[in-house]
Amino acid sequence: SLCNSGLEHGAPTESRPSCRPIQYRSLFRKVGDDGWAKRHFELVLKQEPRHAGALTGLGNIAYAGGDFRGAIEHYRLALTDDPTYLPARRNLAAALKHTGDLPQALLEYREALANPSPDATLYIEYADTLRISGRTTEAVPMYQQGLGMLSTTHSELRNHVETQLQRLTSRRAN
């Protein structure tokens, strides 16, 4: 089954108690064979053409290879049938940001934050995009929200957020 292959996505159900979303890119990066991963995702898509996890996995491979337009296309396809699939939404926002489409990236980040369980890094990614867009006043509370959710083990990310907050709040004071 797709669940046993590690490619099922969505919340656990009685028939799929152990299925969880996984970070496909990091999984196959450890394996180190994008060709194998791509073939695997394509095989899944032959069986289930709109599988959000497999489409997101292909998007991640395209993104890692510098094909941001291809990545955006895959992420959008993944969201067609499952607009709540957070890995695709988040990665779509990042790819749009990378291509310079900041207004659309901000829309996608806002949509991702509407997810019932956004994490600290999502708030921080959104805040970074707001800051880059010149919307610093809006970025501050997003950085603060993300910082409040970060565990103490994320020292590098915590330092980044604290630095950005210092810069933004000192600009407002001047």
Side-chain angles (χ1 to χ4, degrees), residues 4-126:
N4 293 335
S5 71
L7 289 174
E8 183 63 52
H9 71 280
T13 66
E14 287 181 28
S15 63
R16 300 186 329 249
S18 64
C19 293
R20 299 277 193 275
I22 61 171
Q23 296 298 321
Y24 303 102
R25 182 76 195 127
S26 62
L27 173 68
F28 291 112
R29 186 91 230 86
K30 290 176 187 168
V31 173
D33 187 352
D34 284 344
W36 180 87
K38 185 175 180 183
R39 287 187 302 278
H40 191 71
F41 291 134
E42 289 168 346
L43 178 64
V44 170
L45 291 171
K46 282 183 182 179
Q47 295 175 355
E48 193 177 334
R50 293 184 174 261
H51 190 280
L55 287 164
T56 300
L58 288 175
N60 293 347
I61 291 168
Y63 187 102
D67 178 10
F68 302 108
R69 294 291 171 203
I72 289 168
E73 182 179 325
H74 281 99
Y75 298 142
R76 285 188 170 144
L77 282 172
L79 292 166
T80 300
D81 280 353
D82 189 354
T84 64
Y85 190 57
L86 187 57
R89 180 78 58 196
R90 171 185 227 144
N91 294 350
L92 174 58
L96 289 163
K97 176 181 169 185
H98 192 85
T99 63
D101 190 350
L102 298 179
Q104 191 62 43
L106 288 168
L107 288 173
E108 297 300 337
Y109 277 124
R110 276 195 296 277
E111 192 70 31
L113 285 168
N115 185 286
S117 56
D119 62 22
T121 58
L122 187 56
Y123 281 99
I124 294 164
E125 291 165 14
Y126 180 51

